[in-house]
Amino acid sequence: MTDQPPLTPAQATRFVQALLELMVTHGLRGLEARQAGGQLGLSRPGQFETGDLTFHFMTPGEHRSAVQAYALPEDRVQASQGARTEQDIEPFVRAAGQLFDLHGVATLLFAAGGYLGFRANGPSREFVLDGITVRGQA
C-alpha cells in the first residue's frame, strides 16, 4: 500500500465521532488486536476486511444505556439479543466500510494489543483509540 495522506484534525474528529456512533449502533464495546497486531480496512483495492482482531460486544443493558447516552435514534440501532456470534460482526464490518469511504479512511492499523472502543474510566466510560494508526485513502 502506498502512503496515504493523514486526515486533518477536523476530519479525524468527524471520523472518530461517526465510528463511535457506529459501534454503539451495533452494540460493539471494542475491537482489540491480537499479539501480532491487526487491521480493519482495505487490505487491497476493493477488499475491506478485518485481520487478527477480537470483537467485544456490549451486554443488552450496556447497549441500551449507550444508545440513550449518545441519543441515537432507536430505529438505527441493531438490537442485541443475548450472546453475540461471528454473524453479528459482518453487519458492522459492512457498515464500517461505508463509513471509511465516506470519511476518506483506508485502514485502521492496530499495534499488538491495540484497542478501539469504550474503556472504563472510574464511574464513566470513554472512547479510546489506543495503539492505532489511521491511514487515509490515496
Side-chain angles (χ1 to χ4, degrees), residues 54-101:
T54 301
F55 286 70
H56 302 282
F57 286 95
M58 298 174 185
T59 66
E62 288 173 330
H63 193 191
R64 280 190 301 278
S65 294
V67 167
Q68 290 172 352
Y70 290 101
L72 296 180
E74 294 285 335
D75 63 337
R76 281 190 29 214
V77 175
Q78 302 292 317
S80 52
Q81 309 283 338
R84 297 301 192 95
T85 67
E86 290 288 319
Q87 291 177 334
D88 294 302
I89 295 170
E90 293 172 21
F92 169 78
V93 171
R94 278 193 303 277
Q98 294 170 349
L99 180 80
F100 281 37
D101 284 345

